Amino acid sequence: MFDRMSLMLINANFLLQVIWLGWNIWQLVKTMLVYETEDRYYYIRYLTGPGVSVAKSGGAALNLNSMLILLPVCRNLISYLRGSCSTNQFCRRSFRRQLDKNIAFHKLVAYMLLMWTIVHVVAHMFNFRNLYLNRTECNHTFYSDAELSCALSDNAELSGDPNNWINPILSSNPKLPFGLDLILQGLIPIAGWTGAILTVVFIVMFSSATEFIRRSYFETFWVTHHLFVIYFSMLLIHGTGGIIRSQINLEEHNIDDCRDVPETWGNNATCAYPEFKDGSAGSWKWCIGPIFLYVMERTIRFVRSCLKVTTTKVVKHPSKVIEIQMKKSGFKMQPGQYIFLKCPSISHVQWHPFTLTSAPEQDHFSVHIRLVGDWTKQLSKVLGADGEETINPENLPRLAVDGPFGTASIDIFKYEVAMCVGAGIGVTPFASILRSIWLRSLNQKDNLKIRKIYFFWICPDTSAFEWFTELLESIENHFAEQGRAHFLQYNIYLTRGWTTKQAKHLYLQEEQEIDAITGLRQKTSYGRPMWDSIFKHIGEENKGVSVGVFFCGPAALSRVLHENSNKHSKLLGEGARFYYNKENF
């Protein structure tokens, strides 16, 4: 039982989520207790009912999550923490893997913001309805003590201090139809109109961040997501109105002694009129730090994007893949990192992430791009890779590059044994890693910790193999000449894309030393990998060893690999320990 729980913890992604959920619960409970139990909020509780406690608790959770929503998208901060963590023994592995989930955490926080926004808004709708009722009908049966209700409604007038109010609705016009007066009174205070803008802006941002909108209408997603400027501006202003007031003279006006005798308020020394003060704005305390960090993040991105990038070569590969080779002053990379690429002649706002396929040992950096969408096809056209005409390198359009940024794949050199799985174009991070290992070995700088790589490439059709096999063949031949053919054990799987005629031809070529499709010594397998058997075999070959599992590809396959990493890990005994890592952009 202990072993099963421990091996699940090896690949746990929920550590950060547990801390975050606990923090949300703590904010909720703490704020709820303050507004439900403290005497200074007794009178506002009396007028609104439990809605004020619910609304303020939701507001506290909104402040917390508004603080957190910006941090996961500070790419430079994440990369810095990742690099710092690699030198710290305590958080070397677990914390880095949490950082790799930054975009997933950003989405989780957005869902939490949506939930607390609904809670906060609905609770305040009931609060304003009850406050409006207190202003227009203070003797309504909703209130158990009509005299107390009316005294609170008229407290500013009775006490002779126009600022000594507890009900923020200071006037009414019941003649307006369809409840418009209630809506109008709710929007008059600063908290009302800023809250309305906040809600609308958040709904627009949230609804336009769906997978479909991001992939099909990226500029719509980009523009609406930058409404966060309005969101945080309104959030900082929202609490300055202080409409939820607290009592400040509890000694002169004791709740237990005075709440039942409102007719005596101000007439004796024991029950003065209650005095109220505005609630203080607290959102800025939560958000000013992340806002500052994000401003610095965007400044760094802007400066880097303005640096000159020279496109040295554009190569058109089979299976609708283009390779762009570039140079940039001061550019330093590690194997497995990625960059963001922008082509201003196509769009001034679209930045797209691509894994670097070059190695640090080369004099340039490169990306391989599969032509699957409008932007990538336009990029191929403006770079002259569509076959229609050849463009002189000097006349190529300007490209902007931001990065590089670290991902899970750069941790491969921290393991003795690595299992790399790429699906389709998801092979790109491993192209950089394998090329770097090969070049280090050629330059006799092969002082790496890693001693064995199991490489799996799953492709949908035969043409997808063509651009990568040249690198594999070079690596295969190099390590075979060194007597280290065992270093790289690769397996290529073709899941579909062959005809009956091709199948017969492949069958006849089965006895040949060279694979008929790839031209490599390792034969291509047909169909999908049997992951359970594969993990079991690797575990038996590497007992007592930590095996890093690295994946780049679709979510469905990621879940399968993650489950198998948990299933076949052994903390106790001599079994292997599989640590799952997935590329996240």
Side-chain angles (χ1 to χ4, degrees), residues 226-244:
H226 278 71
L227 292 175
F228 79 91
V229 176
I230 299 176
Y231 176 88
F232 280 99
S233 298
M234 294 298 102
L235 184 64
L236 295 176
I237 299 171
H238 184 60
T240 58
I243 61 171
I244 303 300

Side-chain angles (χ1 to χ4, degrees), residues 116-148:
W116 289 125
T117 296
I118 294 172
V119 170
H120 187 72
V121 170
V122 171
H124 268 322
M125 289 173 66
F126 281 100
N127 291 337
F128 268 89
R129 178 261 182 193
N130 294 334
L131 291 170
Y132 185 79
L133 185 65
N134 172 257
R135 174 61 58 197
T136 56
E137 299 179 63
C138 64
N139 58 353
H140 194 277
T141 54
F142 174 80
Y143 302 104
S144 58
D145 187 339
E147 289 190 17
L148 177 59

Side-chain angles (χ1 to χ4, degrees), residues 351-384:
W351 288 89
H352 293 272
F354 297 102
T355 305
L356 291 165
T357 54
S358 54
E361 293 77 12
Q362 295 178 283
D363 63 352
H364 65 271
F365 62 96
S366 65
V367 293
H368 283 69
I369 301 174
R370 185 159 57 99
L371 309 181
V372 292
D374 292 339
W375 188 88
T376 55
K377 291 176 181 177
Q378 290 181 50
L379 180 65
S380 175
K381 184 176 182 180
V382 298
L383 292 177

Side-chain angles (χ1 to χ4, degrees), residues 365-438:
F365 62 96
S366 65
V367 293
H368 283 69
I369 301 174
R370 185 159 57 99
L371 309 181
V372 292
D374 292 339
W375 188 88
T376 55
K377 291 176 181 177
Q378 290 181 50
L379 180 65
S380 175
K381 184 176 182 180
V382 298
L383 292 177
D386 57 356
E388 294 183 4
E389 60 177 310
T390 302
I391 301 178
N392 189 299
E394 296 180 356
N395 298 326
L396 289 172
R398 185 178 77 87
L399 298 179
V401 170
D402 185 24
F405 301 103
T407 63
S409 292
I410 67 175
D411 289 343
I412 191 171
F413 298 107
K414 301 181 186 298
Y415 294 89
E416 291 183 37
V417 178
M419 177 180 173
C420 304
V421 183
I425 199 65
V427 75
T428 50
F430 310 121
S432 174
I433 291 166
L434 293 175
R435 183 175 276 115
S436 179
I437 292 173
W438 172 43

Side-chain angles (χ1 to χ4, degrees), residues 317-336:
H317 291 286
S319 63
K320 296 182 178 179
V321 172
I322 62 170
E323 176 186 357
I324 307 174
Q325 297 181 7
M326 295 163 280
K327 290 184 178 181
K328 181 180 179 181
S329 177
F331 188 89
K332 296 180 180 180
M333 61 166 288
Q334 296 181 48

Side-chain angles (χ1 to χ4, degrees), residues 31-284:
T31 309
M32 181 73 73
L33 289 174
V34 166
Y35 282 87
E36 278 295 310
T37 61
E38 293 191 7
D39 286 344
R40 56 182 171 145
Y41 294 111
Y42 176 80
Y43 285 134
I44 191 65
R45 283 200 306 272
Y46 180 80
L47 293 181
T48 63
V52 66
S53 303
V54 175
K56 295 299 287 186
S57 299
L62 281 171
N63 283 336
L64 167 62
N65 289 284
S66 294
M67 174 189 75
L68 296 175
I69 194 74
L70 285 177
L71 297 179
V73 292
C74 292
R75 295 194 292 263
N76 289 285
L77 175 63
I78 297 293
S79 291
Y80 173 76
L81 291 176
R82 227 184 170 286
S84 300
C85 218
S86 64
T87 62
N88 189 308
Q89 183 67 30
F90 176 73
C91 62
R92 177 170 293 177
R93 182 176 288 140
S94 59
F95 187 64
R96 284 203 314 274
R97 289 167 61 236
Q98 295 296 326
L99 292 175
D100 291 334
K101 305 292 181 182
N102 60 316
I103 299 302
F105 182 65
H106 176 74
K107 294 177 182 178
L108 278 177
V109 173
Y111 280 109
M112 187 66 84
L113 278 172
L114 176 65
M115 184 184 75
W116 289 125
T117 296
I118 294 172
V119 170
H120 187 72
V121 170
V122 171
H124 268 322
M125 289 173 66
F126 281 100
N127 291 337
F128 268 89
R129 178 261 182 193
N130 294 334
L131 291 170
Y132 185 79
L133 185 65
N134 172 257
R135 174 61 58 197
T136 56
E137 299 179 63
C138 64
N139 58 353
H140 194 277
T141 54
F142 174 80
Y143 302 104
S144 58
D145 187 339
E147 289 190 17
L148 177 59
S149 171
C150 292
L152 291 172
S153 177
D154 299 330
N155 189 67
E157 181 180 346
L158 295 173
S159 65
D161 182 358
N163 291 319
N164 191 27
W165 50 266
I166 187 172
N167 188 340
I169 299 179
L170 302 177
S171 62
S172 63
N173 184 8
K175 294 182 181 180
L176 290 176
F178 310 115
L180 292 178
D181 188 47
L182 171 58
I183 298 173
L184 178 63
Q185 295 301 323
L187 293 176
I188 287 175
I190 292 175
W193 61 266
T194 56
I197 295 174
L198 270 169
T199 304
V200 172
V201 165
F202 180 76
I203 290 173
V204 172
M205 291 171 62
F206 187 90
S207 60
S208 62
T210 61
E211 188 76 13
F212 173 76
I213 296 293
R214 291 203 316 273
R215 292 190 177 277
S216 303
Y217 305 97
F218 182 85
E219 293 199 12
T220 299
F221 161 74
W222 189 92
V223 171
T224 56
H225 237 54
H226 278 71
L227 292 175
F228 79 91
V229 176
I230 299 176
Y231 176 88
F232 280 99
S233 298
M234 294 298 102
L235 184 64
L236 295 176
I237 299 171
H238 184 60
T240 58
I243 61 171
I244 303 300
R245 294 187 134 197
S246 60
Q247 186 183 339
I248 58 174
N249 63 335
L250 290 172
E251 292 184 1
E252 295 83 3
H253 183 102
N254 183 275
I255 296 296
D256 294 330
D257 297 335
C258 301
R259 62 186 173 188
D260 296 327
V261 287
E263 67 278 2
T264 67
W265 292 357
N267 296 327
N268 59 66
T270 58
C271 285
Y273 284 107
E275 297 179 8
F276 303 99
K277 70 170 184 176
D278 292 344
S280 59
S283 297
W284 70 272

